[in-house]
Amino acid sequence: MTVFLQLGGPGSDEPQRLSGRQSYPPEVHARLQADAKSIIDRYPHARSALLPLLHLVQAEDSYITPAGIEFCAEQVGLTGAEVMAVATFYSMYRRTPTGDYLVGVCTNTLCAIMGGDAILEALQDHLGIHAGQTTDDGRITLEHVECNAACDYAPVVMINWEFFDNQTPSSARDLLDKLRAGEPVTPSRGAPLCTFRETARCLAGYPQDQTDAHTAGAATLAGLRIAHEKDMAARGLEGED
């Protein structure tokens, strides 16, 4: 008997080729070039700035376009193929237009058995879209995601890479309804929530106001608290060999 095991989550629906505009209008190019220069100036070598530059062009279009690839290549002295290789390696760079809020439901092992699969199914039914698609109003792009190292609060939903912990199908539906209605929502921890394009610009090196950022929760810090209580330290950190 032959048994077929599918490892990992559902396959990616992202296209292998980039779509969108092929070049930027002169005024957009000039504005991006000024921003790019301030980013590149932070690094000893121009090509070291490639990752934040990709976030910069993603902030412009909500995804990586041929125009963005060629712009980044021009700024750092690489070929378009070299930039494309980097952009398609990292999952944070999108290949299709992305809504105001990129909603990722963790479907890896712990989140899945704690209800992550049920949350994803409920949101697909509620929004009328499948993972990898965007709602008609352009507000929500839904996707399944692999582990985000937030297992202590499973199941976790991420919105523009901010954590929303201990979710249920009902709470996740309510959360997305608020987003679509323009109502404010607050992440369980981390920085205040902003739109996908604003998040991309923040990752490019232009951070938003962080004064209301939330720190790590008690479950995350439990091991550190116990270590302090028992005066424990990792070998080599207290002068040990």
Side-chain angles (χ1 to χ4, degrees):
M1 181 178 67
T2 301
V3 178
F4 175 74
L5 297 178
Q6 178 176 338
L7 302 179
S12 173
D13 294 324
E14 288 195 307
Q16 298 304 306
R17 299 176 64 88
L18 296 184
S19 61
R21 54 179 166 182
Q22 302 296 308
S23 62
Y24 292 121
E27 65 276 10
V28 174
H29 188 281
R31 171 168 50 78
L32 288 175
Q33 194 165 37
D35 287 341
K37 182 180 185 305
S38 71
I39 294 171
I40 292 171
D41 285 347
R42 303 168 191 169
Y43 295 87
H45 304 288
R47 65 179 56 190
S48 300
L50 180 55
L51 297 185
L53 288 179
L54 284 167
H55 284 298
L56 178 68
V57 296
Q58 182 157 264
E60 186 68 28
D61 294 313
S62 85
Y63 68 116
I64 302 297
T65 64
I69 292 290
E70 293 305 318
F71 174 83
C72 291
E74 170 191 314
Q75 303 307 307
V76 300
L78 295 173
T79 66
E82 289 171 323
V83 174
M84 181 71 169
V86 174
T88 55
F89 179 82
Y90 293 101
S91 62
M92 291 179 77
Y93 299 118
R94 307 284 300 171
R95 302 181 207 173
T96 54
T98 304
D100 295 331
Y101 298 100
L102 177 62
V103 177
V105 181
C106 183
T107 55
N108 215 323
T109 306
L110 184 56
C111 279
I113 64 175
M114 294 291 286
D117 287 341
I119 291 173
L120 180 60
E121 183 178 351
L123 293 184
Q124 289 179 136
D125 291 342
H126 187 60
L127 297 174
I129 60 175
H130 295 292
Q133 296 180 334
T134 301
T135 54
D136 290 340
D137 60 7
R139 296 287 282 172
I140 305 292
T141 295
L142 182 66
E143 66 172 1
H144 78 90
V145 294
E146 293 300 319
C147 184
N148 287 291
C151 307
D152 41 358
Y153 289 103
V156 172
V157 171
M158 296 193 78
I159 302 178
N160 296 345
W161 299 301
E162 298 296 345
F163 291 109
F164 290 80
D165 302 326
N166 299 318
Q167 291 295 303
T168 66
S170 177
S171 68
R173 284 193 297 265
D174 292 343
L175 182 61
L176 267 58
D177 284 344
K178 289 181 179 180
L179 288 176
R180 298 186 78 182
E183 298 178 25
V185 299
T186 302
S188 302
R189 48 210 161 96
L193 187 67
C194 54
T195 67
F196 180 79
R197 294 190 190 214
E198 291 169 340
T199 301
R201 186 166 176 81
C202 178
L203 292 170
Y206 296 94
Q208 307 290 316
D209 182 11
Q210 303 293 305
T211 55
D212 293 329
H214 301 275
T215 59
T220 304
L221 300 176
L224 181 62
R225 175 180 57 78
I226 293 172
H228 285 167
E229 290 174 354
K230 297 183 177 297
D231 196 26
M232 300 166 63
R235 291 183 62 84
L237 298 182
E238 296 292 335
E240 301 176 69
D241 294 330

